[in-house]
Amino acid sequence: MSYLPASDRYEQMQYRRSGRSGVQLPALSLGLWNNFGDDFPYQSGRAIVRRAFDLGITHFDLANNYGPPYGSAEENFGRMLAHDLGTYRDELVISTKAGYDMWPGPYGDRGSRKYLLASLDQSLQRMGLEYVDIFYSHRFDPETPLEETMGALATAVRQGKALYAGVSSYSAAKTREAAQILRELGTPLLIHQPSYSMLNRWIEPELLDVLGDEGVGCIVFSPLAQGMLTDKYLHGIPEGSRASRTATLSPDLITDEALEKIRALNEIASARGQSLAQMALAWTLRDPRITSALAGASSVEQLEANVAALERVDFTDEELAEIDRHATDSGINLWAASSSV
């Protein structure tokens, strides 16, 4: 039987405008960084994507090297589009990125025009698409002139292979510079995708002000701190958790100090009637300059619990002050090398 999305899907989701653009994104977007490669059951990923759309999640975020293996998340999502969501393409915002290693040799990494445009062509082929809605420079490349990298994004838009341009993990200064270059090229910077969570607050001192000034949206990734801001690690590192099996969350990050913070934050969440993960997601959305929180899911149940966080995104001044006591930097920003240049 063909997939038919829920008829009330747009009544269930909150949408926010991306900066001063005409684009609205769901307050919670679905990231396909994990659980959509060939190491995860295809039908489970398909069920998550279908349920996400049923819940009003219209934005699906990918990158060329999501997997494993590289490219497999885009290939699997392309199959899901062909089987389930293709009819609804004009209701979707699909994004992809290039900037990290993808294929061997000097032209399969970083920020050159050759790499970015070749990667986009490959991404479109894997997903079976004529265009993506947002094409990102996945990280700042200090070895490539910023004019070249932004020029590649502008070319992708002019060619009709992307509708909008974005950057990810750029510093405040480089974001302002990138926005100016793109504006001069006639392709405004739509959105920035930085890491951000209660344990990784690097965007607050400068970047959010730049985004507000420039009219650029902000979609935060890793709002659950690679899973640390869930109840999974309240009692240490469980067998089979991300910290026990992947490089994106080293066991070295689960320190006694970090656990103390996580447990204190969990108590605040419980008093609010939320799980720690739900409070962590809601907290990232407290600033109106943030357009969307980008979270993954390993099951339909986890996805539904994440969306339920949107039922309570209000915070009292007392709650925010108490959160601030424990929501401090924990050395978990794996992308600091890009955003500190």
Side-chain angles (χ1 to χ4, degrees):
M1 181 177 180
S2 299
Y3 164 67
L4 292 174
S7 60
D8 63 346
R9 57 191 179 278
Y10 295 116
E11 300 167 19
Q12 301 189 54
M13 179 55 61
Q14 304 168 24
Y15 297 88
R16 296 183 171 198
R17 192 167 301 279
S18 181
R20 290 195 289 267
S21 77
V23 177
Q24 296 184 62
L25 296 180
L28 185 71
S29 298
L30 183 64
L32 280 70
W33 177 21
N34 293 295
N35 304 322
F36 290 89
D38 289 348
D39 62 335
F40 190 77
Y42 171 77
Q43 292 298 340
S44 298
R46 184 183 182 189
I48 293 169
V49 166
R50 288 165 57 144
R51 184 59 179 147
F53 192 48
D54 283 343
L55 293 171
I57 294 177
T58 54
H59 180 213
F60 299 90
D61 181 80
L62 299 106
N64 56 358
N65 61 358
Y66 287 177
Y70 288 174
S72 60
E74 289 182 330
E75 290 176 351
N76 289 328
F77 184 67
R79 292 169 62 193
M80 296 171 197
L81 284 171
H83 294 153
D84 302 317
L85 296 181
T87 303
Y88 309 98
R89 174 65 182 97
D90 291 336
E91 299 181 38
L92 307 178
V93 171
I94 300 170
S95 60
T96 196
K97 318 175 198 71
Y100 286 94
D101 65 298
M102 183 60 190
W103 61 81
Y107 318 123
D109 196 358
R110 309 195 73 88
S112 72
R113 177 182 181 86
K114 180 172 178 60
Y115 169 48
L116 294 180
L117 294 179
S119 177
L120 177 56
D121 283 343
Q122 293 180 19
S123 291
L124 293 176
Q125 185 175 18
R126 281 190 290 268
M127 290 187 282
L129 294 173
E130 295 181 356
Y131 69 93
V132 291
D133 296 273
I134 308 170
F135 182 46
Y136 286 92
S137 167
H138 206 166
R139 62 169 168 169
F140 174 70
D141 177 11
E143 299 178 1
T144 300
L146 192 56
E147 291 82 0
E148 178 177 343
T149 301
M150 294 303 104
L153 297 184
T155 294
V157 172
R158 285 198 302 272
Q159 290 178 339
K161 296 177 181 179
L163 299 186
Y164 299 96
V167 297
S168 179
S169 299
Y170 275 50
S171 69
K174 291 303 179 183
T175 298
R176 192 182 293 278
E177 188 178 347
Q180 180 178 349
I181 293 169
L182 284 170
R183 191 160 47 242
E184 292 171 353
L185 293 172
T187 304
L189 178 60
L190 175 75
I191 198 164
H192 188 299
Q193 187 177 130
S195 62
Y196 182 57
S197 72
M198 291 192 291
L199 302 180
N200 173 23
R201 301 177 65 167
W202 74 273
I203 70 174
E204 293 177 7
E206 298 179 87
L207 181 59
L208 284 175
D209 287 338
V210 168
L211 298 180
D213 292 344
E214 297 287 344
V216 174
C218 181
I219 178 168
V220 299
F221 75 89
S222 201
L224 303 182
Q226 292 99 269
M228 288 175 66
L229 291 170
T230 68
D231 58 9
K232 191 177 298 182
Y233 299 102
L234 292 175
H235 307 291
I237 302 175
E239 185 69 26
S241 66
R242 189 187 297 191
S244 71
R245 57 185 169 82
T246 76
T248 59
L249 181 56
S250 167
D252 295 339
L253 299 178
I254 314 293
T255 62
D256 290 342
E257 180 183 2
L259 287 173
E260 185 177 343
K261 295 177 186 179
I262 293 167
R263 289 166 184 151
L265 292 168
N266 184 62
E267 290 182 10
I268 300 171
S270 295
R272 283 171 49 84
Q274 290 181 307
S275 69
L276 175 56
Q278 289 172 332
M279 185 180 78
L281 289 168
W283 180 87
T284 64
L285 295 167
R286 76 198 186 286
D287 191 308
R289 293 170 294 187
I290 293 180
T291 312
S292 182
L294 183 62
S298 59
S299 66
V300 168
E301 293 74 21
Q302 184 183 25
L303 172 73
E304 292 172 341
N306 287 346
V307 173
L310 302 178
E311 297 171 5
R312 181 77 195 281
V313 295
D314 58 307
F315 289 86
T316 66
D317 291 341
E318 292 76 14
E319 286 173 331
L320 291 174
E322 183 65 14
I323 288 171
D324 282 342
R325 290 183 55 214
H326 309 286
T328 56
D329 187 82
S330 297
I332 64 168
N333 186 358
L334 305 180
W335 307 270
S338 174
S339 58
S340 61
V341 179

